[in-house]
Amino acid sequence: MSFCCGSDMLLTIAHLNLEETAMLNVPVLFCLACERMAIHPDVEFEFQMLKEYARGDRAGEVDLQPYVNPKARETLYNPANHAEYLRMEHVVKEQIDRALELYSMAQSTGDLVWKEELVERLAALNQKSSRKAKP
């Protein structure tokens, strides 16, 4: 797991459109709070190499999965590790709890900038929590 804006980033598999090429089965990390997305570090090299190959070959579609080393593939492509497999309500609640703990720490240190960042993150997470709660 990686971190973004102090929040956990979650693993998922994405299909990315890169100019004229669709890259399939790309492990990415995304942040629920700020919605930032990043290629998983374990496949960054393979992703960049395949992207350049596809661009040079003018491939319309390429699948990253076969180019990922088998050990990383076992973990990254296991559905039990993906955000879709997790109960998102639980994940959002857990991230809200962590942000509240950090807010308490920021308040005790008197760090106003950190407190403001945490208030923004809590607002974003609260919106996600509210959207999930509606039928």
Side-chain angles (χ1 to χ4, degrees), residues 10-102:
L10 304 172
L11 174 66
T12 192
I13 302 298
H15 299 311
L16 306 176
N17 291 319
L18 312 168
E19 298 169 17
E20 298 174 10
T21 303
M23 180 87 70
L24 308 179
N25 295 313
V26 180
V28 296
L29 298 170
F30 71 94
C31 177
L32 282 175
C34 70
E35 299 183 0
R36 182 176 160 258
M37 185 184 82
I39 305 300
H40 194 286
D42 289 352
V43 298
E44 181 69 34
F45 178 76
E46 293 88 345
F47 174 80
Q48 293 299 334
M49 294 298 291
L50 192 56
K51 183 172 89 171
E52 290 304 315
Y53 165 76
R55 184 179 293 148
D57 200 31
R58 296 187 180 167
E61 182 177 282
V62 290
D63 187 350
L64 180 63
Q65 188 172 359
Y67 299 95
V68 175
N69 81 52
K71 198 168 196 165
R73 190 179 321 146
E74 192 175 301
T75 302
L76 295 173
Y77 293 97
N78 181 344
N81 296 328
H82 298 180
E84 294 84 3
Y85 184 81
L86 304 171
R87 289 181 40 103
M88 289 308 288
E89 305 87 40
H90 175 72
V91 172
V92 172
K93 182 188 177 314
E94 187 176 288
Q95 291 204 1
I96 288 172
D97 290 345
R98 285 185 189 164
L100 287 170
E101 289 173 13
L102 290 172

Side-chain angles (χ1 to χ4, degrees), residues 103-134:
Y103 183 84
S104 177
M105 287 176 56
Q107 191 167 10
S108 69
T109 63
D111 190 332
L112 298 176
V113 174
W114 191 18
K115 281 174 54 175
E116 185 58 37
E117 290 172 356
L118 289 165
V119 167
E120 290 173 14
R121 183 179 321 145
L122 283 163
L125 290 169
N126 188 44
Q127 262 189 328
K128 297 215 183 319
S129 178
S130 298
R131 274 190 245 148
K132 296 289 180 192
K134 293 177 183 174

